[in-house]
Amino acid sequence: MRAWRAAVGAMFFALLAGCGSNDLVVKKQMEMEAKLEQLAQANASANTRLTTLTTEVKELQNRLTATAADMDAMKPGMAELKASIESIDAMVTDLNRPKTSKIEVVNREAAAAEGNPAHQDAYVKAFGLFSANNYNAAIDAFEAFMKAYPDSEYVGNAMYWVGECYYTQHNYNEALEAFSKVTTTFPNGNKVPDAMLKIGYTLMGMNEPAKAKESLQALVEKYPKSQAAAKAREKLVRLSK
């Protein structure tokens, strides 16, 4: 009897021990499943973040590509704007010269043409139209002046201002032709250095930097002491950078 009770007791404790062991296994399994779930969630979150980052990188690359394209598209306009600014600067400098301002030019011509009021009036009228930014009318007036008074010492000046009218309107082909005529048809005129300078500027506006440099260098060599040559040197330095 005592032996039977001892056997039953042993079985009972064995069962208890087995139950405790099963509970521990179940607990460990649950903990493992929880960790696996956490890892799965973390992995899903990482994948989502990676996808988001990949999308953001692609968008950034697209923006950079678009920005680069925009900059390339802007280059011709920027070159044209820069040439226009330099043209305005050249005109302002010319106007502010003590001995070569518009008023003094007109006055000198008036003194030289005292015996011919029509000669004076024609040039003054053309110059007034240019000063008023009425460039098309100024071109017609200067050309009429050159046709009516081909022997005037200011015919070369008139041709130069025709070139300025075209240049200001970004009509570079016509401007180049007019400035070139100043240097070839009136080689001894006082506007030749300025015309050579504007030929260089015009060629820059036409995206021909090599020819522009050649023209500016020729100006520096032929008229080294002129104000136009000083501007040409500054431009050549900038073009060399």
Side-chain angles (χ1 to χ4, degrees):
M1 189 66 167
R2 289 180 180 178
W4 179 80
R5 288 181 179 178
V8 172
M11 292 176 61
F12 177 75
F13 285 112
L15 289 174
L16 288 178
C19 289
S21 178
N22 288 338
D23 289 342
L24 181 60
V25 171
V26 171
K27 182 179 180 181
K28 292 294 183 181
Q29 185 177 358
M30 291 176 63
E31 289 178 353
M32 184 64 68
E33 289 177 353
K35 289 181 179 180
L36 289 174
E37 180 66 22
Q38 289 176 354
L39 289 173
Q41 292 177 357
N43 185 54
S45 178
N47 289 336
T48 301
R49 181 55 180 166
L50 180 60
T51 301
T52 302
L53 289 174
T54 301
T55 302
E56 291 176 354
V57 169
K58 288 183 179 179
E59 290 179 355
L60 181 58
Q61 289 175 337
N62 292 335
R63 290 177 184 176
L64 290 174
T65 301
T67 301
D70 290 341
M71 291 181 68
D72 289 337
M74 289 171 64
K75 285 182 180 179
M78 291 175 67
E80 184 175 304
L81 177 60
K82 187 176 182 181
S84 298
I85 292 173
E86 290 175 345
S87 171
I88 294 171
D89 177 67
M91 286 191 291
V92 170
T93 301
D94 186 60
L95 291 174
N96 289 332
R97 291 177 187 171
K99 294 183 180 181
T100 56
S101 64
K102 292 182 180 179
I103 294 176
E104 296 219 20
V105 169
V106 172
N107 287 341
R108 287 202 303 273
E109 291 182 13
E114 287 179 354
N116 190 352
H119 174 276
Q120 175 186 354
D121 291 344
Y123 194 88
V124 170
K125 176 183 177 182
F127 221 118
L129 291 168
F130 174 81
S131 300
N133 302 328
N134 193 348
Y135 300 119
N136 290 330
I139 291 171
D140 292 339
F142 280 122
E143 290 180 343
F145 169 82
M146 290 186 286
K147 183 177 181 179
Y149 308 100
D151 297 327
S152 170
E153 62 179 306
Y154 295 106
V155 173
N157 291 45
M159 179 59 70
Y160 172 83
W161 291 111
V162 167
E164 284 285 10
C165 288
Y166 283 124
Y167 182 87
T168 305
Q169 297 179 96
H170 303 158
N171 189 340
Y172 296 130
N173 289 326
E174 296 292 343
L176 183 60
E177 182 179 353
F179 290 134
S180 298
K181 284 183 179 178
V182 175
T183 63
T184 57
T185 308
F186 312 99
N188 297 320
N190 62 357
K191 279 294 184 182
V192 171
D194 291 329
M196 293 180 70
L197 177 68
K198 295 317 286 281
I199 287 173
Y201 287 176
T202 302
L203 289 170
M204 285 299 300
M206 298 171 72
N207 293 321
E208 296 188 27
K211 292 183 179 180
K213 289 181 180 180
E214 182 179 347
S215 178
L216 295 173
Q217 189 61 48
L219 166 60
V220 171
E221 294 174 357
K222 190 170 184 179
Y223 301 98
K225 296 182 180 180
S226 66
Q227 292 187 12
K231 294 178 182 177
R233 291 189 190 95
E234 294 176 359
K235 185 64 175 177
L236 285 169
V237 170
R238 290 197 293 269
L239 290 175
S240 299
K241 293 181 179 179

